[in-house]
C-alpha cells in the first residue's frame, strides 16, 4: 500500500523513535492497512476511489497471458536460482476526498505531465525514481534550485528529458535506468549475500506498451 509506505518514510525521517516506543501493554506501534485508511479518512477525508478516466482494458486472453508469464518467471527463477526479483507495479486508483466526482490520476492528464518510473525489490527496498519530462534539452527539467531538488539527487533520483515530443519512456531511457539504478542496486545486494558478480538477476516490468517509444 503506497500511502502506508509514504507515512512510514516520513515518520522514519522526522520521528524515528516512534518505532521503538513500547506501550503499557508491551506492544509497539504498527501500521496496519486499516489504521492507514482510518488516518487518511479522519485527517484528510480521503477514501480509496477508482479513477474516473478510461483505463486500459484487459485483453481477451488475460488468463492465458498471466499463466504464460508465471511459467516464464518460474522457469527463469528455477534455472538461474534467482531469489531477489524486482517488481514495477502500476495503478489507476488513488485517494481523494470522500464524495468527489472527479478523481485525478497522474499520467492521465496530458497537461504538463511527466512519467515517473518507480521500482521496488522483492525485499521491499524502494529504488530511486527515474522522472521523465517531455523535451529535448535540460531546459525541460526542473531547475536545480527548485524545492528539495538537492535532496532528490542525494537519494539517487534521475531527472531525464525524453528527447522526443512526449513524456513517455524510451528504449535509451530504460537502458539508462537499468545501468544507473538497477545494476548499482543488484551489485550491492550481491555483495551483501555473497553472490558472485555474474549472478543472474530478474527484472519484471509492468508498463503500457503504447507508452514506450
Amino acid at each position: 500500500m503506497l500511502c502506508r509506505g509514504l507515512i512510514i518514510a516520513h515518520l522514519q525521517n522526522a520521528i524515528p523513535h516512534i518505532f521503538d516506543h513500547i506501550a503499557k501493554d508491551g506492544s509497539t506501534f504498527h501500521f496496519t492497512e486499516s489504521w492507514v485508511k482510518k488516518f487518511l479518512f479522519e485527517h484528510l477525508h480521503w477514501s480509496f476511489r477508482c479513477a474516473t478516466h478510461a483505463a486500459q482494458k484487459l485483453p481477451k486472453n488475460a488468463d492465458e497471458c498471466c499463466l504464460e508469464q508465471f511459467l516464464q518467471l518460474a522457469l527463469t527463477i528455477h534455472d538461474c536460482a534467482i531469489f531477489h526479483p524486482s517488481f514495477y507495479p502500476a495503478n489507476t486508483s488513488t485517494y481523494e476526498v470522500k464524495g468527489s466526482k472527479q478523481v485525478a490520476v497522474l499520467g492521465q492528464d496530458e497537461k504538463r505531465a511527466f512519467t515517473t518510473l518507480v521500482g521496488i525489490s522483492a525485499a521491499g527496498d524502494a529504488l530511486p525514481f527515474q522522472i521523465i519530462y517531455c523535451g529535448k534539452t535540460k531546459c525541460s527539467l526542473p531547475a536545480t534550485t527548485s524545492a528539495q531538488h538537492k535532496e532528490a539527487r542525494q537519494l539517487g533520483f534521475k531527472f531525464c528529458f525524453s528527447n522526443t515530443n512526449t513524456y513517455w519512456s524510451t528504449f535509451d531511457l530504460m537502458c539508462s535506468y537499468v545501468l544507473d539504478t538497477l545494476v548499482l542496486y543488484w551489485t550491492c545486494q550481491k555483495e551483501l549475500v555473497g553472490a558472485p558478480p555474474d549472478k543472474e538477476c530478474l527484472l519484471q516490468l509492468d508498463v503500457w506498451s503504447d507508452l514506450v517509444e
Side-chain angles (χ1 to χ4, degrees):
M1 190 174 185
L2 180 59
C3 288
R4 178 177 179 274
L6 291 174
I7 293 174
I8 292 176
H10 279 290
L11 291 179
Q12 285 179 331
N13 180 64
I15 48 174
H17 58 272
I18 191 175
F19 298 96
D20 300 323
H21 178 72
I22 301 177
K24 293 181 179 179
D25 60 359
S27 63
T28 56
F29 187 61
H30 292 285
F31 291 86
T32 62
E33 184 174 339
S34 59
W35 181 91
V36 173
K37 289 182 177 180
K38 182 179 180 181
F39 175 86
L40 294 175
F41 180 77
E42 292 183 349
H43 294 275
L44 299 175
H45 304 293
W46 283 3
S47 61
F48 200 61
R49 306 290 303 279
C50 292
T52 54
H53 304 285
Q56 185 181 34
K57 296 182 179 179
L58 291 175
K60 293 182 179 179
N61 63 335
D63 291 340
E64 180 182 345
C65 291
C66 289
L67 177 59
E68 181 179 351
Q69 183 195 45
F70 169 78
L71 295 175
Q72 289 177 341
L73 289 175
L75 180 62
T76 303
I77 293 173
H78 176 272
D79 290 349
C80 299
I82 296 174
F83 301 102
H84 297 85
S86 298
F87 296 89
Y88 294 76
N91 203 344
T92 57
S93 299
T94 187
Y95 274 95
E96 186 54 272
V97 176
K98 185 178 181 181
S100 299
K101 294 183 178 180
Q102 292 295 325
V103 181
V105 178
L106 288 176
Q108 305 260 349
D109 189 354
E110 296 298 327
K111 297 179 180 179
R112 293 176 292 181
F114 58 87
T115 296
T116 301
L117 177 54
V118 181
I120 185 171
S121 73
D125 298 323
L127 306 183
F129 297 167
Q130 182 190 60
I131 307 167
I132 305 168
Y133 293 85
C134 175
K136 299 184 179 181
T137 68
K138 292 183 177 180
C139 294
S140 303
L141 306 179
T144 56
T145 56
S146 58
Q148 297 182 312
H149 188 280
K150 182 178 180 181
E151 180 182 357
R153 284 292 189 183
Q154 291 174 341
L155 292 172
F157 289 15
K158 305 295 184 183
F159 295 93
C160 311
F161 55 88
S162 64
N163 203 32
T164 66
N165 294 323
T166 73
Y167 51 87
W168 298 346
S169 183
T170 64
F171 180 76
D172 289 338
L173 287 173
M174 178 55 67
C175 290
S176 175
Y177 181 77
V178 171
L179 294 175
D180 298 338
T181 301
L182 290 183
V183 171
L184 179 62
Y185 175 79
W186 285 335
T187 300
C188 292
Q189 294 305 306
K190 290 177 184 179
E191 293 176 353
L192 287 175
V193 300
D198 59 349
K199 181 65 178 178
E200 295 88 345
C201 296
L202 179 64
L203 167 64
Q204 182 175 355
L205 298 174
D206 182 6
V207 299
W208 287 15
S209 59
D210 57 349
L211 293 185
V212 179
E213 292 192 341

